[in-house]
Amino acid sequence: MAKKKIRKKKKRIRLHRSFLLPFILTLTIAMGIGVLALAAHQWITEPVRGKTTESVNREREKTERAETPEKAPDSPETEPAQQEETEPPARYQSELEDPVYLAENNIYVREPAVPGQVTLTFAGDVLFDDNYSITMLVREDGDISKGVSPEVIGRMQAADVMMLNNEFAYSNRGAPIEEKQFTFRARPETVTYLNDMGVDVVSLANNHAYDYGPEALTDTLDTLRDAEIPYVGAGRNIDEARKPVYYIVGDIKIAFVSATQIERLDTPDTKEATQDSPGVFRCWNGNKLMETVREAAENSDFVVAYIHWGTENVAELDWAQLKQAPELVDAGADLVIGDHPHCLQPIGVIQDVPVIYSLGNFWFNSKTLDTGMVEVVIDESGIVSYQFVPCIQNGCRTTLLEGAEKERVLTYMRSISEGVQIDGEGYVTW
């Protein structure tokens, strides 16, 4: 039995070996064919598929470009249009698009130097009369920088709106008011001094605009109009005299109102405008002024009241100033600027509204006098900063003060001003 089993085992081994060789050969051939097929797939099928995918992508991009017009990223022609779609419309757009309305309502337009903010600069009295010594440095060639230093002019020109008191008439006509001690009249061509200094609006509400009578006053109005300098506080009739000047700067609208308390007489030399005669806007009785301020407040975002008041050559405030300043604030004034005393007077605050009672002479006579400018920055919320800029009128020239002289004037302003703080650069807080 054992031998028989051994023989059967050897027979199975021979059968296995005889089958293995053809099997291995067949498997090798099959694997070779599979490898060749895979290679053919990679070499032929995949490149074709890649090309097909690229073609589809290109067709898709062409379709998208056809549906969306091409635009260069920084194209100057298309960028403003995109901004117009995202920026909200201006609040005063309807006014800006109506030139007739702007002209009829004394509205002027200015782009701000700093978006969202407006810089307002104010100075006191100026005089361009060649019969007085103040003009001796400039009258030969009309170079105003010989009378007002380039540094001062630079600050004036940098303002979005610059205002001062034009205390004389521009005319070659008229006769001086009899028995008046000082009468002022300048050649009409000297109005270019205002343009050169960067003045944007003047007050005529003072006691010298009428020095040469109604003809000279109307010449003044025409001269300023021709020089494209708005005026406030005088006119051919009372409606024009009390009418505010407005500036739209960016998206902020500022109103300028001006009136004079001087002279304090029932029959003053400086005549008040009436319904049919030229004159100034008087506010010794302040009812009309307060009504005008209220109307200005309803039609603007910020109201400036520029008032001719006080006692000449006296730093102390008089009762009429102290009475009328709170009335102006109650009526809607956001800023009060005073002139007439020919000297500096205090800076005060009434219900969060700053008042400088007198800016003094700016470029007015040959006396050596401390003076200054006020620079106020506002935005849509109100006053951002308030700065007093010390200057001096000396030798018929107005210049900026620096160093010890600047600090001397600031120290003086601190000594006469209650309820405010003035730092070393003249910035006023309260």
Side-chain angles (χ1 to χ4, degrees):
M1 292 295 292
K3 290 182 180 179
K4 188 176 181 180
K5 290 181 179 178
I6 291 172
R7 282 198 297 269
K8 287 182 179 179
K9 183 177 182 180
K10 288 181 179 179
K11 187 177 181 180
R12 282 198 299 269
I13 292 171
R14 282 199 302 270
L15 288 173
H16 179 72
R17 286 178 179 176
S18 63
F19 172 77
L20 181 61
L21 184 59
F23 174 78
I24 292 173
L25 182 60
T26 302
L27 181 60
T28 301
I29 293 171
M31 290 178 62
I33 293 172
V35 170
L36 290 174
L38 181 62
H41 181 273
Q42 294 293 328
W43 296 340
I44 299 173
T45 309
E46 285 301 321
V48 172
R49 180 180 298 172
K51 292 179 181 178
T52 303
T53 303
E54 291 175 1
S55 300
V56 171
N57 288 338
R58 284 197 296 269
E59 289 300 320
R60 183 180 299 145
E61 290 174 359
K62 288 180 181 179
T63 302
E64 290 174 352
R65 284 197 297 268
E67 293 175 353
T68 304
E70 291 187 3
K71 177 179 73 69
D74 298 322
S75 171
E77 296 180 0
T78 56
E79 193 66 23
Q82 186 178 27
Q83 289 180 349
E84 289 176 2
E85 292 176 1
T86 58
E87 291 179 356
R91 290 185 297 142
Y92 298 104
Q93 192 63 38
S94 60
E95 295 183 21
L96 296 173
E97 293 175 347
D98 189 344
V100 174
Y101 180 86
L102 295 177
E104 290 177 348
N105 291 276
N106 281 357
I107 302 173
Y108 300 84
V109 182
R110 182 68 46 83
E111 286 298 318
V114 177
Q117 293 188 342
V118 183
T119 299
L120 309 174
T121 299
F122 303 91
D125 308 334
V126 297
L127 175 62
F128 299 164
D129 191 332
D130 288 337
N131 294 311
Y132 291 84
S133 57
I134 185 61
T135 63
M136 68 178 185
L137 299 177
V138 305
R139 66 177 68 133
E140 181 177 352
D141 60 6
D143 183 359
I144 190 60
S145 68
K146 294 178 180 178
V148 180
S149 73
E151 294 77 15
V152 174
I153 292 175
R155 295 192 77 140
M156 297 169 75
Q157 293 175 340
D160 293 308
V161 184
M162 198 284 152
M163 182 179 188
L164 50 69
N165 177 44
N166 193 114
E167 192 145 359
F168 58 92
Y170 294 95
S171 183
N172 294 314
R173 301 192 300 163
I177 293 175
E178 294 182 4
E179 298 181 1
K180 191 168 186 178
Q181 184 179 6
F182 298 106
T183 54
F184 304 137
R185 179 180 63 174
R187 292 176 289 114
E189 52 266 35
T190 62
V191 74
T192 58
Y193 297 164
L194 296 178
N195 297 120
D196 294 341
M197 288 189 289
V199 176
D200 299 293
V201 56
V202 297
S203 170
L204 294 176
N206 56 62
N207 55 306
H208 288 288
Y210 199 87
D211 279 357
Y212 281 74
E215 290 181 339
L217 177 58
T218 55
D219 286 347
T220 300
L221 306 180
D222 293 338
T223 298
L224 290 167
R225 179 201 61 207
D226 293 343
E228 298 183 347
I229 296 176
Y231 56 84
V232 65
R236 294 169 179 79
N237 52 57
I238 187 58
D239 291 335
E240 181 181 353
R242 63 184 290 194
K243 194 172 190 176
V245 163
Y246 297 92
Y247 266 92
I248 297 177
V249 186
D251 209 24
I252 301 174
K253 188 176 183 182
I254 306 105
F256 297 85
V257 176
S258 188
T260 176
Q261 289 185 354
I262 312 301
E263 299 101 0
R264 301 174 177 180
L265 304 168
D266 291 335
T267 57
D269 292 329
T270 304
K271 303 301 182 185
E272 181 173 19
T274 67
Q275 290 297 330
D276 54 9
S277 64
V280 300
F281 184 24
R282 285 174 51 81
C283 63
W284 182 237
N285 179 330
N287 293 336
K288 290 180 182 178
L289 173 59
M290 303 313 153
E291 181 181 342
T292 302
V293 171
R294 283 190 290 270
E295 292 173 355
E298 292 174 358
N299 292 295
S300 66
D301 303 304
F302 193 90
V303 178
V304 177
Y306 194 109
I307 309 300
H308 206 68
W309 58 7
T311 304
E312 289 187 354
N313 305 311
V314 175
E316 290 77 19
L317 305 180
D318 67 28
W319 68 270
Q321 289 172 290
L322 294 171
K323 173 182 180 296
Q324 200 161 85
E327 294 174 348
L328 288 166
V329 173
D330 288 340
D334 299 291
L335 179 67
V336 180
I337 305 291
D339 72 316
H340 173 67
H342 301 300
C343 64
L344 291 172
Q345 288 189 332
I347 300 172
V349 176
I350 301 170
Q351 299 177 36
D352 208 34
V353 172
V355 180
I356 184 164
Y357 288 90
S358 174
L359 277 169
N361 287 352
F362 182 62
W363 190 65
F364 191 79
N365 58 25
S366 59
K367 294 181 180 179
T368 297
L369 290 171
D370 294 332
T371 183
M373 297 183 290
V374 165
E375 294 181 356
V376 180
V377 177
I378 67 172
D379 63 14
E380 290 186 357
S381 64
I383 294 176
V384 175
S385 67
Y386 183 110
Q387 185 182 19
F388 176 78
V389 181
C391 300
I392 192 166
Q393 176 193 265
N394 181 31
C396 299
R397 196 161 192 258
T398 298
T399 58
L400 287 175
L401 289 177
E402 299 293 346
E405 281 295 285
K406 175 181 177 179
E407 181 57 30
R408 176 185 62 79
V409 175
L410 291 176
T411 299
Y412 173 73
M413 292 302 291
R414 294 183 193 112
S415 71
I416 63 173
S417 302
E418 297 182 359
V420 300
Q421 297 79 46
I422 307 174
D423 72 8
E425 292 301 315
Y427 284 100
V428 181
T429 54
W430 53 90

